[in-house]
Amino acid sequence: MIDALVKLLGYQNNPITYQNQEEVNKLYQAFFGAYNLNGTVTWLDNNAQTFIDEGYKGNAAIYSIVNKIMMKDAEPPLQAFKETSKGKKKFDKSVKYKGTPLSIAEARLYLKKELTLVEGTDLTALLAKPNKSQTQYSFLQDVSMYWRLTGEFFIYGVKIGLGRDANKFSEIFVLPSHLVEIVQGDMFQPVKGYKFKVGDQMVVLQPDEVLHVKTPNATWNLQGSQLRSQSALLAGLKYLQKNNESIASLYRAMQNEGAKGFVSPDMKNPEEWFTPTQLLELKQQIQKGVEGAMNKNKVSTFGVPIRYTDIGKTPVDMDTLAGMDQDFKMFCNLWGVNPAIFSSDQKYDNMGFALKALVTDVSMPFLKQLEQGLSDWLLPRYPGEAQYLEFDTTVYAELQPDIKMILETYGKHPAFTWNEIRVMLGFDEIEGPEGSTYWVPTNLIPAQDALLGNPDFQDFQA
Protein backbone atom coordinates (compact mmCIF):
# COMPACT_ATOMS: atom_id res chain seq x y z
CA MET A 1 0.00 0.00 0.00
CA ILE A 2 2.80 2.36 0.90
CA ASP A 3 4.64 1.58 -2.34
CA ALA A 4 1.50 2.43 -4.30
CA LEU A 5 1.24 5.77 -2.53
CA VAL A 6 4.90 6.49 -3.20
CA LYS A 7 4.28 5.86 -6.91
CA LEU A 8 1.19 8.03 -6.74
CA LEU A 9 3.33 10.88 -5.41
CA GLY A 10 5.57 10.60 -8.47
CA TYR A 11 8.65 9.00 -6.93
CA GLN A 12 8.56 5.73 -8.89
CA ASN A 13 11.16 6.83 -11.45
CA ASN A 14 13.42 8.79 -9.14
CA PRO A 15 15.69 7.75 -6.30
CA ILE A 16 14.23 8.73 -2.93
CA THR A 17 16.00 11.89 -1.96
CA TYR A 18 16.23 13.25 1.55
CA GLN A 19 13.20 15.48 0.94
CA ASN A 20 11.23 12.61 -0.61
CA GLN A 21 12.09 10.35 2.32
CA GLU A 22 10.55 12.90 4.67
CA GLU A 23 7.29 12.65 2.73
CA VAL A 24 7.42 8.86 2.85
CA ASN A 25 7.96 9.01 6.61
CA LYS A 26 4.86 11.15 6.89
CA LEU A 27 2.90 8.49 5.02
CA TYR A 28 4.19 5.82 7.38
CA GLN A 29 3.23 7.97 10.34
CA ALA A 30 -0.26 8.46 8.94
CA PHE A 31 -0.80 4.73 8.39
CA PHE A 32 0.97 3.28 11.40
CA GLY A 33 0.38 5.71 14.21
CA ALA A 34 -0.38 9.31 15.07
CA TYR A 35 2.36 11.86 14.46
CA ASN A 36 3.60 12.67 17.94
CA LEU A 37 0.89 11.24 20.14
CA ASN A 38 2.67 8.19 21.55
CA GLY A 39 0.76 6.73 24.47
CA THR A 40 -2.59 8.19 23.39
CA VAL A 41 -5.49 5.92 24.25
CA THR A 42 -7.90 5.17 21.41
CA TRP A 43 -11.45 4.29 22.37
CA LEU A 44 -14.10 2.57 20.36
CA ASP A 45 -16.84 4.96 19.27
CA ASN A 46 -18.68 6.23 22.35
CA ASN A 47 -21.90 4.61 21.09
CA ALA A 48 -20.45 1.15 21.79
CA GLN A 49 -22.16 0.85 25.17
CA THR A 50 -25.40 1.85 23.46
CA PHE A 51 -25.00 -1.06 21.04
CA ILE A 52 -24.81 -3.42 24.01
CA ASP A 53 -27.44 -1.89 26.30
CA GLU A 54 -30.07 -0.61 23.87
CA GLY A 55 -29.26 -3.00 21.05
CA TYR A 56 -28.44 -6.56 22.09
CA LYS A 57 -29.84 -6.31 25.64
CA GLY A 58 -32.70 -3.91 25.06
CA ASN A 59 -34.08 -4.62 21.59
CA ALA A 60 -35.69 -7.94 20.72
CA ALA A 61 -35.16 -7.45 16.98
CA ILE A 62 -31.41 -6.86 17.33
CA TYR A 63 -31.07 -9.79 19.71
CA SER A 64 -32.96 -12.12 17.34
CA ILE A 65 -30.81 -11.20 14.34
CA VAL A 66 -27.46 -11.28 16.13
CA ASN A 67 -28.34 -14.50 17.94
CA LYS A 68 -29.31 -16.19 14.67
CA ILE A 69 -25.99 -15.17 13.07
CA MET A 70 -24.02 -16.07 16.19
CA MET A 71 -25.39 -19.61 16.28
CA LYS A 72 -24.39 -20.16 12.65
CA ASP A 73 -20.95 -18.60 13.09
CA ALA A 74 -20.11 -20.98 15.95
CA GLU A 75 -21.39 -24.14 14.27
CA PRO A 76 -18.25 -25.35 12.39
CA PRO A 77 -15.52 -26.78 14.65
CA LEU A 78 -12.01 -25.30 14.42
CA GLN A 79 -9.35 -27.98 13.91
CA ALA A 80 -5.59 -28.18 13.35
CA PHE A 81 -4.01 -29.92 10.35
CA LYS A 82 -0.67 -30.83 8.82
CA GLU A 83 0.15 -31.43 5.18
CA THR A 84 0.30 -35.09 4.22
CA SER A 85 3.67 -36.51 3.19
CA LYS A 86 2.24 -37.24 -0.23
CA GLY A 87 0.78 -33.79 -0.67
CA LYS A 88 1.80 -32.48 -4.07
CA LYS A 89 0.52 -28.93 -3.87
CA LYS A 90 -0.21 -26.32 -1.26
CA PHE A 91 -3.69 -26.55 0.19
CA ASP A 92 -5.97 -23.90 -1.27
CA LYS A 93 -7.79 -22.50 1.77
CA SER A 94 -10.00 -20.23 -0.33
CA VAL A 95 -11.85 -23.06 -2.08
CA LYS A 96 -14.20 -23.88 0.78
CA TYR A 97 -15.27 -20.25 1.20
CA LYS A 98 -16.65 -19.86 -2.32
CA GLY A 99 -19.90 -21.43 -1.16
CA THR A 100 -20.83 -23.13 -4.44
CA PRO A 101 -21.80 -26.85 -4.48
CA LEU A 102 -18.75 -27.79 -6.55
CA SER A 103 -16.30 -25.74 -4.49
CA ILE A 104 -17.59 -27.39 -1.32
CA ALA A 105 -17.09 -30.82 -2.91
CA GLU A 106 -13.57 -29.87 -3.97
CA ALA A 107 -12.79 -28.63 -0.45
CA ARG A 108 -13.81 -32.00 0.97
CA LEU A 109 -11.48 -33.76 -1.43
CA TYR A 110 -8.54 -31.39 -0.86
CA LEU A 111 -8.96 -31.70 2.90
CA LYS A 112 -8.89 -35.49 2.68
CA LYS A 113 -5.97 -35.81 0.27
CA GLU A 114 -3.65 -33.00 1.30
CA LEU A 115 -4.15 -32.56 5.06
CA THR A 116 -3.97 -34.79 8.11
CA LEU A 117 -5.94 -34.00 11.27
CA VAL A 118 -3.70 -33.20 14.25
CA GLU A 119 -4.68 -34.60 17.65
CA GLY A 120 -3.18 -34.84 21.12
CA THR A 121 -1.07 -31.66 21.10
CA ASP A 122 -1.02 -28.53 23.26
CA LEU A 123 -2.56 -26.54 20.40
CA THR A 124 -5.46 -28.92 19.85
CA ALA A 125 -6.12 -29.02 23.59
CA LEU A 126 -6.31 -25.22 23.63
CA LEU A 127 -8.68 -25.17 20.65
CA ALA A 128 -10.97 -27.76 22.21
CA LYS A 129 -11.03 -26.04 25.62
CA PRO A 130 -10.00 -22.37 25.26
CA ASN A 131 -10.36 -21.71 29.00
CA LYS A 132 -11.71 -23.31 32.16
CA SER A 133 -15.21 -21.93 31.76
CA GLN A 134 -15.81 -22.28 28.02
CA THR A 135 -16.02 -24.88 25.32
CA GLN A 136 -14.90 -24.04 21.82
CA TYR A 137 -18.53 -23.52 20.81
CA SER A 138 -19.30 -20.95 23.52
CA PHE A 139 -15.95 -19.27 22.90
CA LEU A 140 -16.76 -18.82 19.19
CA GLN A 141 -20.20 -17.48 20.13
CA ASP A 142 -18.55 -14.72 22.17
CA VAL A 143 -16.21 -13.85 19.30
CA SER A 144 -19.15 -13.66 16.91
CA MET A 145 -21.31 -11.61 19.28
CA TYR A 146 -18.74 -8.83 19.72
CA TRP A 147 -17.90 -8.90 16.02
CA ARG A 148 -21.53 -8.38 15.04
CA LEU A 149 -22.27 -5.76 17.70
CA THR A 150 -19.06 -3.70 17.70
CA GLY A 151 -17.36 -4.67 14.44
CA GLU A 152 -14.25 -6.05 16.15
CA PHE A 153 -13.04 -8.62 18.64
CA PHE A 154 -10.11 -8.96 21.02
CA ILE A 155 -8.77 -12.36 22.12
CA TYR A 156 -6.32 -12.38 25.03
CA GLY A 157 -3.86 -15.22 25.55
CA VAL A 158 -2.41 -16.12 28.97
CA LYS A 159 1.23 -17.07 28.46
CA ILE A 160 2.70 -20.09 30.22
CA GLY A 161 5.85 -18.04 30.67
CA LEU A 162 8.32 -20.79 31.62
CA GLY A 163 10.79 -23.01 29.78
CA ARG A 164 10.60 -23.96 26.14
CA ASP A 165 6.81 -23.47 26.13
CA ALA A 166 7.07 -19.89 27.37
CA ASN A 167 5.30 -18.44 24.30
CA LYS A 168 2.43 -20.91 24.38
CA PHE A 169 -0.92 -19.99 25.88
CA SER A 170 -2.47 -21.86 28.78
CA GLU A 171 -5.85 -20.18 28.12
CA ILE A 172 -7.41 -17.69 25.76
CA PHE A 173 -10.32 -15.34 26.51
CA VAL A 174 -12.60 -13.09 24.47
CA LEU A 175 -12.42 -9.55 25.85
CA PRO A 176 -15.49 -7.26 25.75
CA SER A 177 -14.62 -4.96 22.86
CA HIS A 178 -16.40 -1.92 24.27
CA LEU A 179 -14.21 -2.04 27.40
CA VAL A 180 -10.84 -2.36 25.64
CA GLU A 181 -8.62 0.64 24.89
CA ILE A 182 -5.74 0.71 22.41
CA VAL A 183 -2.56 2.49 23.42
CA GLN A 184 -1.00 4.04 20.33
CA GLY A 185 2.68 3.69 19.57
CA ASP A 186 4.57 5.01 16.56
CA MET A 187 5.15 4.03 12.96
CA PHE A 188 7.51 1.26 14.08
CA GLN A 189 5.04 -0.13 16.61
CA PRO A 190 1.54 1.19 15.78
CA VAL A 191 -0.03 -0.47 18.82
CA LYS A 192 1.96 -0.10 22.03
CA GLY A 193 -0.43 -2.13 24.13
CA TYR A 194 -4.00 -2.61 25.30
CA LYS A 195 -5.91 -1.57 28.39
CA PHE A 196 -8.88 -3.51 29.70
CA LYS A 197 -10.93 -1.56 32.21
CA VAL A 198 -13.74 -2.88 34.38
CA GLY A 199 -14.99 -0.55 37.09
CA ASP A 200 -11.94 0.86 38.86
CA GLN A 201 -9.72 -2.04 37.77
CA MET A 202 -7.27 -1.51 34.88
CA VAL A 203 -5.31 -4.36 33.28
CA VAL A 204 -2.47 -3.52 30.87
CA LEU A 205 -1.83 -6.12 28.15
CA GLN A 206 1.14 -6.48 25.82
CA PRO A 207 0.59 -6.30 22.03
CA ASP A 208 1.62 -9.90 21.35
CA GLU A 209 -0.81 -11.20 23.98
CA VAL A 210 -3.85 -9.89 22.13
CA LEU A 211 -5.37 -10.75 18.75
CA HIS A 212 -7.33 -7.79 17.40
CA VAL A 213 -9.43 -8.13 14.23
CA LYS A 214 -11.68 -5.30 13.08
CA THR A 215 -13.89 -4.09 10.28
CA PRO A 216 -12.72 -1.13 8.14
CA ASN A 217 -13.20 2.35 9.57
CA ALA A 218 -13.33 5.30 7.19
CA THR A 219 -12.76 7.80 10.02
CA TRP A 220 -9.09 8.90 10.09
CA ASN A 221 -7.72 11.40 12.57
CA LEU A 222 -4.79 12.11 14.89
CA GLN A 223 -6.63 10.38 17.70
CA GLY A 224 -6.25 7.05 15.88
CA SER A 225 -9.89 6.32 15.19
CA GLN A 226 -8.73 4.23 12.22
CA LEU A 227 -7.27 1.74 14.71
CA ARG A 228 -10.79 0.83 15.84
CA SER A 229 -13.73 -0.59 13.93
CA GLN A 230 -17.03 0.79 12.70
CA SER A 231 -19.97 -1.20 13.95
CA ALA A 232 -22.89 -1.97 11.67
CA LEU A 233 -25.13 -0.57 14.40
CA LEU A 234 -23.37 2.79 14.17
CA ALA A 235 -24.75 3.19 10.66
CA GLY A 236 -28.18 2.07 11.88
CA LEU A 237 -28.12 3.93 15.19
CA LYS A 238 -31.01 6.26 14.32
CA TYR A 239 -33.15 3.29 13.29
CA LEU A 240 -32.30 1.61 16.59
CA GLN A 241 -33.28 4.69 18.57
CA LYS A 242 -36.50 5.13 16.58
CA ASN A 243 -37.42 1.48 16.98
CA ASN A 244 -36.81 1.55 20.72
CA GLU A 245 -38.91 4.69 21.06
CA SER A 246 -41.71 3.11 19.01
CA ILE A 247 -41.74 0.08 21.29
CA ALA A 248 -41.74 2.30 24.37
CA SER A 249 -44.60 4.36 22.94
CA LEU A 250 -46.76 1.31 22.27
CA TYR A 251 -45.95 -0.05 25.71
CA ARG A 252 -47.01 3.20 27.38
CA ALA A 253 -50.20 3.22 25.35
CA MET A 254 -50.99 -0.34 26.45
CA GLN A 255 -50.40 0.55 30.11
CA ASN A 256 -52.66 3.58 29.87
CA GLU A 257 -55.19 1.87 27.66
CA GLY A 258 -58.86 2.25 28.58
CA ALA A 259 -61.91 1.04 26.69
CA LYS A 260 -61.46 -0.78 23.37
CA GLY A 261 -64.44 1.03 21.86
CA PHE A 262 -67.93 2.27 22.54
CA VAL A 263 -71.52 1.49 21.52
CA SER A 264 -73.85 4.35 20.52
CA PRO A 265 -77.33 4.62 18.98
CA ASP A 266 -77.28 4.55 15.20
CA MET A 267 -80.02 7.20 14.91
CA LYS A 268 -79.77 10.84 13.91
CA ASN A 269 -82.83 12.01 15.85
CA PRO A 270 -81.72 12.89 19.43
CA GLU A 271 -85.20 12.15 20.68
CA GLU A 272 -84.63 8.47 19.86
CA TRP A 273 -81.35 8.23 21.77
CA PHE A 274 -81.00 6.20 24.97
CA THR A 275 -82.15 7.59 28.29
CA PRO A 276 -79.79 7.10 31.26
CA THR A 277 -81.91 4.18 32.42
CA GLN A 278 -81.91 2.56 28.98
CA LEU A 279 -78.15 3.11 28.66
CA LEU A 280 -77.56 1.31 31.96
CA GLU A 281 -79.72 -1.61 30.82
CA LEU A 282 -77.79 -1.72 27.50
CA LYS A 283 -74.46 -1.92 29.33
CA GLN A 284 -75.73 -4.77 31.45
CA GLN A 285 -77.03 -6.57 28.37
CA ILE A 286 -73.66 -6.17 26.59
CA GLN A 287 -71.76 -7.47 29.62
CA LYS A 288 -74.06 -10.47 29.85
CA GLY A 289 -74.58 -11.33 26.19
CA VAL A 290 -71.43 -10.06 24.44
CA GLU A 291 -68.42 -9.90 26.72
CA GLY A 292 -66.60 -12.89 28.17
CA ALA A 293 -65.41 -16.26 26.87
CA MET A 294 -68.82 -17.87 27.48
CA ASN A 295 -70.26 -15.80 24.61
CA LYS A 296 -67.75 -16.99 22.01
CA ASN A 297 -69.44 -17.70 18.64
CA LYS A 298 -72.86 -16.67 20.03
CA VAL A 299 -75.14 -14.21 18.24
CA SER A 300 -76.47 -11.30 20.29
CA THR A 301 -79.44 -9.14 19.36
CA PHE A 302 -80.56 -5.63 20.28
CA GLY A 303 -83.97 -4.07 19.90
CA VAL A 304 -82.71 -0.76 18.48
CA PRO A 305 -80.07 0.07 15.82
CA ILE A 306 -76.69 0.65 17.40
CA ARG A 307 -73.16 0.97 16.14
CA TYR A 308 -69.69 0.17 17.52
CA THR A 309 -66.67 2.48 17.22
CA ASP A 310 -63.21 0.93 17.74
CA ILE A 311 -60.77 3.15 19.59
CA GLY A 312 -58.26 0.38 20.45
CA LYS A 313 -55.81 1.08 17.61
CA THR A 314 -55.47 4.59 16.30
CA PRO A 315 -53.99 5.40 12.85
CA VAL A 316 -50.85 6.52 14.67
CA ASP A 317 -50.55 3.07 16.25
CA MET A 318 -50.92 1.38 12.87
CA ASP A 319 -48.24 3.63 11.35
CA THR A 320 -45.94 2.83 14.28
CA LEU A 321 -46.36 -0.91 13.75
CA ALA A 322 -45.68 -0.56 10.02
CA GLY A 323 -42.59 1.52 10.78
CA MET A 324 -41.30 -1.14 13.18
CA ASP A 325 -41.60 -3.75 10.45
CA GLN A 326 -39.47 -1.57 8.16
CA ASP A 327 -36.97 -1.07 10.99
CA PHE A 328 -36.58 -4.85 11.31
CA LYS A 329 -35.86 -5.21 7.61
CA MET A 330 -33.26 -2.44 7.87
CA PHE A 331 -31.60 -4.19 10.84
CA CYS A 332 -31.40 -7.38 8.76
CA ASN A 333 -29.80 -5.43 5.91
CA LEU A 334 -27.10 -4.09 8.24
CA TRP A 335 -25.71 -7.61 8.57
CA GLY A 336 -26.73 -8.87 5.15
CA VAL A 337 -29.39 -11.23 6.53
CA ASN A 338 -32.47 -12.14 4.51
CA PRO A 339 -35.57 -11.19 6.59
CA ALA A 340 -37.34 -14.27 5.21
CA ILE A 341 -35.51 -16.31 7.86
CA PHE A 342 -37.75 -14.79 10.53
CA SER A 343 -41.01 -15.08 8.60
CA SER A 344 -43.55 -17.70 9.63
CA ASP A 345 -45.38 -17.87 6.30
CA GLN A 346 -42.47 -18.37 3.89
CA LYS A 347 -42.40 -21.29 1.49
CA TYR A 348 -39.85 -24.02 2.23
CA ASP A 349 -37.76 -23.20 -0.87
CA ASN A 350 -37.55 -19.52 0.06
CA MET A 351 -36.56 -20.38 3.64
CA GLY A 352 -33.90 -22.81 2.41
CA PHE A 353 -32.44 -20.22 0.08
CA ALA A 354 -32.38 -17.61 2.86
CA LEU A 355 -30.66 -19.97 5.32
CA LYS A 356 -28.03 -20.95 2.75
CA ALA A 357 -27.38 -17.26 2.04
CA LEU A 358 -26.93 -16.71 5.78
CA VAL A 359 -24.11 -19.27 5.75
CA THR A 360 -22.42 -18.32 2.48
CA ASP A 361 -22.84 -14.53 2.61
CA VAL A 362 -22.70 -13.79 6.34
CA SER A 363 -20.96 -16.56 8.29
CA MET A 364 -18.37 -17.67 5.74
CA PRO A 365 -16.64 -14.26 5.34
CA PHE A 366 -16.42 -13.97 9.13
CA LEU A 367 -14.99 -17.48 9.52
CA LYS A 368 -12.42 -16.81 6.82
CA GLN A 369 -11.20 -13.70 8.62
CA LEU A 370 -11.22 -15.38 12.03
CA GLU A 371 -9.38 -18.41 10.67
CA GLN A 372 -6.65 -16.27 9.16
CA GLY A 373 -6.27 -14.17 12.32
CA LEU A 374 -6.03 -17.19 14.63
CA SER A 375 -3.60 -18.95 12.28
CA ASP A 376 -1.21 -15.98 12.17
CA TRP A 377 -1.45 -15.54 15.93
CA LEU A 378 -1.36 -19.10 17.25
CA LEU A 379 0.59 -21.30 14.82
CA PRO A 380 4.00 -19.60 15.34
CA ARG A 381 3.62 -20.20 19.09
CA TYR A 382 3.27 -23.94 18.56
CA PRO A 383 6.11 -24.76 16.15
CA GLY A 384 5.88 -28.15 14.50
CA GLU A 385 2.46 -28.97 15.90
CA ALA A 386 0.32 -27.85 12.97
CA GLN A 387 0.48 -25.98 9.68
CA TYR A 388 -3.16 -25.03 9.23
CA LEU A 389 -6.17 -24.07 11.30
CA GLU A 390 -9.37 -24.92 9.47
CA PHE A 391 -13.06 -24.49 10.15
CA ASP A 392 -14.90 -27.61 9.03
CA THR A 393 -17.64 -25.88 7.04
CA THR A 394 -18.88 -29.22 5.71
CA VAL A 395 -20.97 -29.58 8.90
CA TYR A 396 -23.41 -26.94 7.67
CA ALA A 397 -26.69 -28.62 6.72
CA GLU A 398 -27.26 -25.80 4.24
CA LEU A 399 -24.08 -26.78 2.35
CA GLN A 400 -24.65 -30.49 2.00
CA PRO A 401 -23.43 -31.80 -1.36
CA ASP A 402 -25.60 -31.69 -4.44
CA ILE A 403 -25.32 -35.38 -5.34
CA LYS A 404 -26.76 -35.05 -8.82
CA MET A 405 -24.47 -32.16 -9.76
CA ILE A 406 -21.34 -33.84 -8.38
CA LEU A 407 -22.06 -37.11 -10.16
CA GLU A 408 -22.77 -35.33 -13.43
CA THR A 409 -19.60 -33.25 -13.12
CA TYR A 410 -17.10 -35.74 -11.70
CA GLY A 411 -18.84 -39.14 -11.62
CA LYS A 412 -17.83 -40.33 -15.07
CA HIS A 413 -14.62 -38.33 -15.37
CA PRO A 414 -11.55 -40.62 -15.67
CA ALA A 415 -9.45 -38.19 -13.61
CA PHE A 416 -11.34 -39.07 -10.41
CA THR A 417 -11.55 -42.36 -8.56
CA TRP A 418 -14.68 -43.72 -6.94
CA ASN A 419 -13.25 -42.99 -3.50
CA GLU A 420 -12.58 -39.37 -4.46
CA ILE A 421 -16.19 -39.03 -5.61
CA ARG A 422 -17.39 -40.58 -2.34
CA VAL A 423 -15.30 -38.11 -0.34
CA MET A 424 -16.85 -35.22 -2.28
CA LEU A 425 -20.28 -36.59 -1.41
CA GLY A 426 -19.36 -36.88 2.26
CA PHE A 427 -19.27 -40.71 2.31
CA ASP A 428 -16.57 -43.01 3.66
CA GLU A 429 -14.10 -44.54 1.25
CA ILE A 430 -14.59 -48.16 0.19
CA GLU A 431 -11.95 -50.76 0.83
CA GLY A 432 -10.14 -52.56 -1.96
CA PRO A 433 -8.20 -51.42 -5.01
CA GLU A 434 -11.31 -50.76 -7.08
CA GLY A 435 -12.15 -47.64 -5.09
CA SER A 436 -8.74 -46.08 -5.78
CA THR A 437 -8.56 -47.13 -9.44
CA TYR A 438 -9.06 -44.71 -12.30
CA TRP A 439 -11.75 -46.13 -14.57
CA VAL A 440 -12.30 -45.38 -18.26
CA PRO A 441 -16.02 -44.73 -18.82
CA THR A 442 -16.39 -47.30 -21.61
CA ASN A 443 -17.40 -50.58 -20.01
CA LEU A 444 -15.78 -49.44 -16.74
CA ILE A 445 -12.37 -51.07 -17.30
CA PRO A 446 -9.15 -50.16 -15.50
CA ALA A 447 -7.25 -47.40 -17.24
CA GLN A 448 -4.01 -49.40 -17.47
CA ASP A 449 -5.78 -52.26 -19.31
CA ALA A 450 -7.36 -49.84 -21.75
CA LEU A 451 -4.00 -48.19 -22.51
CA LEU A 452 -2.25 -51.55 -23.03
CA GLY A 453 -5.04 -52.94 -25.15
CA ASN A 454 -4.98 -56.14 -23.14
CA PRO A 455 -7.96 -58.33 -24.08
CA ASP A 456 -7.51 -60.61 -21.08
CA PHE A 457 -8.87 -58.21 -18.49
CA GLN A 458 -11.94 -59.00 -16.44
CA ASP A 459 -14.82 -56.56 -16.39
CA PHE A 460 -15.64 -55.15 -13.00
CA GLN A 461 -19.38 -54.89 -12.59
CA ALA A 462 -20.27 -51.89 -10.42
Side-chain angles (χ1 to χ4, degrees):
M1 182 181 292
I2 297 298
D3 292 338
L5 287 173
V6 171
K7 291 180 180 180
L8 189 64
L9 292 173
Y11 302 142
Q12 64 270 34
N13 297 322
N14 301 316
I16 295 182
T17 64
Y18 175 75
Q19 290 79 5
N20 293 346
Q21 184 62 54
E22 288 184 346
E23 296 299 318
V24 173
N25 287 340
K26 291 179 181 178
L27 291 176
Y28 274 97
Q29 291 170 336
F31 277 101
F32 300 119
Y35 288 93
N36 293 304
L37 298 179
N38 293 354
T40 298
V41 171
T42 303
W43 285 81
L44 183 62
D45 186 277
N46 57 10
N47 290 311
Q49 193 66 48
T50 301
F51 304 154
I52 305 296
D53 295 338
E54 297 185 21
Y56 190 67
K57 292 170 59 177
N59 186 289
I62 297 297
Y63 176 85
S64 299
I65 297 169
V66 172
N67 189 63
K68 176 69 74 172
I69 301 173
M70 184 175 68
M71 301 294 280
K72 280 299 173 188
D73 287 347
E75 194 169 327
L78 180 63
Q79 300 171 318
F81 293 88
K82 279 187 175 181
E83 290 182 349
T84 60
S85 58
K86 60 182 179 180
K88 297 181 179 179
K89 63 178 182 178
K90 190 174 180 65
F91 179 62
D92 184 4
K93 295 171 67 71
S94 66
V95 172
K96 67 179 180 181
Y97 289 115
K98 294 180 181 179
T100 64
L102 295 183
S103 69
I104 297 167
E106 293 172 5
R108 289 176 183 268
L109 181 59
Y110 289 158
L111 191 66
K112 180 70 175 180
K113 294 183 64 175
E114 299 179 24
L115 299 184
T116 301
L117 181 65
V118 176
E119 296 179 299
T121 68
D122 292 339
L123 177 59
T124 57
L126 182 71
L127 295 178
K129 186 71 173 175
N131 55 68
K132 294 182 181 66
S133 62
Q134 287 187 302
T135 62
Q136 184 188 101
Y137 184 74
S138 61
F139 179 86
L140 293 176
Q141 282 185 314
D142 278 358
V143 177
S144 173
M145 177 183 66
Y146 285 112
W147 177 260
R148 302 304 177 183
L149 291 174
T150 66
E152 62 184 352
F153 62 80
F154 295 85
I155 301 177
Y156 166 60
V158 181
K159 288 183 180 179
I160 295 177
L162 296 173
R164 65 178 184 178
D165 295 334
N167 288 325
K168 293 182 179 181
F169 294 137
S170 59
E171 294 180 292
I172 53 178
F173 298 88
V174 182
L175 300 178
S177 302
H178 59 298
L179 300 178
V180 176
E181 309 164 16
I182 296 179
V183 182
Q184 293 185 48
D186 51 33
M187 66 182 184
F188 302 105
Q189 187 183 19
V191 176
K192 194 175 181 180
Y194 300 89
K195 292 183 178 181
F196 174 42
K197 186 176 182 180
V198 180
D200 58 353
Q201 301 296 318
M202 177 70 72
V203 180
V204 180
L205 308 174
Q206 298 302 313
D208 65 331
E209 297 174 334
V210 177
L211 170 64
H212 177 210
V213 179
K214 70 180 187 69
T215 56
N217 190 345
T219 302
W220 279 60
N221 51 41
L222 293 179
Q223 287 69 45
S225 294
Q226 62 272 17
L227 298 178
R228 303 306 298 259
S229 65
Q230 176 178 313
S231 167
L233 278 175
L234 181 61
L237 184 57
K238 292 182 180 178
Y239 284 93
L240 174 61
Q241 293 169 337
K242 180 173 78 71
N243 187 262
N244 283 343
E245 184 57 37
S246 297
I247 295 172
S249 176
L250 291 176
Y251 180 68
R252 288 193 297 268
M254 182 192 69
Q255 286 183 311
N256 298 324
E257 186 177 28
K260 294 287 185 181
F262 57 85
V263 174
S264 59
D266 192 14
M267 296 169 288
K268 296 182 178 180
N269 186 358
E271 295 179 356
E272 299 177 348
W273 290 357
F274 297 125
T275 64
T277 301
Q278 293 172 329
L279 183 60
L280 179 60
E281 293 176 354
L282 178 61
K283 288 181 178 181
Q284 294 173 347
Q285 185 177 353
I286 290 175
Q287 290 175 351
K288 182 179 180 180
V290 177
E291 297 177 354
M294 73 290 293
N295 292 308
K296 184 178 181 180
N297 297 326
K298 288 185 178 180
V299 178
S300 297
T301 58
F302 297 95
V304 294
I306 59 176
R307 62 183 176 183
Y308 172 75
T309 303
D310 185 7
I311 60 173
K313 288 185 175 63
T314 66
V316 174
D317 293 335
M318 299 304 294
D319 289 343
T320 301
L321 291 172
M324 290 174 62
D325 183 60
Q326 292 301 315
D327 292 343
F328 185 81
K329 293 179 180 178
M330 179 57 67
F331 293 149
C332 287
N333 290 336
L334 290 176
W335 289 285
V337 176
N338 190 331
I341 294 175
F342 301 95
S343 177
S344 60
D345 58 353
Q346 285 292 326
K347 295 181 179 179
Y348 177 80
D349 291 343
N350 293 340
M351 181 65 74
F353 176 80
L355 287 172
K356 184 175 182 179
L358 174 63
V359 172
T360 58
D361 300 343
V362 181
S363 289
M364 297 284 260
F366 163 72
L367 293 178
K368 182 177 182 180
Q369 195 160 7
L370 175 58
E371 183 179 275
Q372 182 176 351
L374 288 173
S375 297
D376 294 342
W377 190 52
L378 289 178
L379 291 179
R381 296 180 177 276
Y382 297 83
E385 292 193 17
Q387 294 169 296
Y388 299 97
L389 295 181
E390 295 286 326
F391 281 104
D392 183 8
T393 57
T394 61
V395 301
Y396 280 124
E398 295 82 3
L399 300 183
Q400 292 310 299
D402 187 326
I403 296 179
K404 181 178 180 180
M405 179 182 294
I406 293 174
L407 291 178
E408 290 178 351
T409 305
Y410 303 109
K412 298 181 179 180
H413 200 294
F416 296 90
T417 67
W418 287 354
N419 275 340
E420 288 174 336
I421 302 301
R422 291 178 64 86
V423 170
M424 290 185 188
L425 294 173
F427 302 147
D428 294 333
E429 294 179 320
I430 58 175
E431 298 180 358
E434 295 83 8
S436 301
T437 299
Y438 294 93
W439 296 87
V440 173
T442 303
N443 296 327
L444 294 177
I445 63 176
Q448 58 268 26
D449 290 343
L451 294 174
L452 294 174
N454 183 2
D456 296 328
F457 64 85
Q458 294 185 1
D459 292 333
F460 179 81
Q461 300 297 327

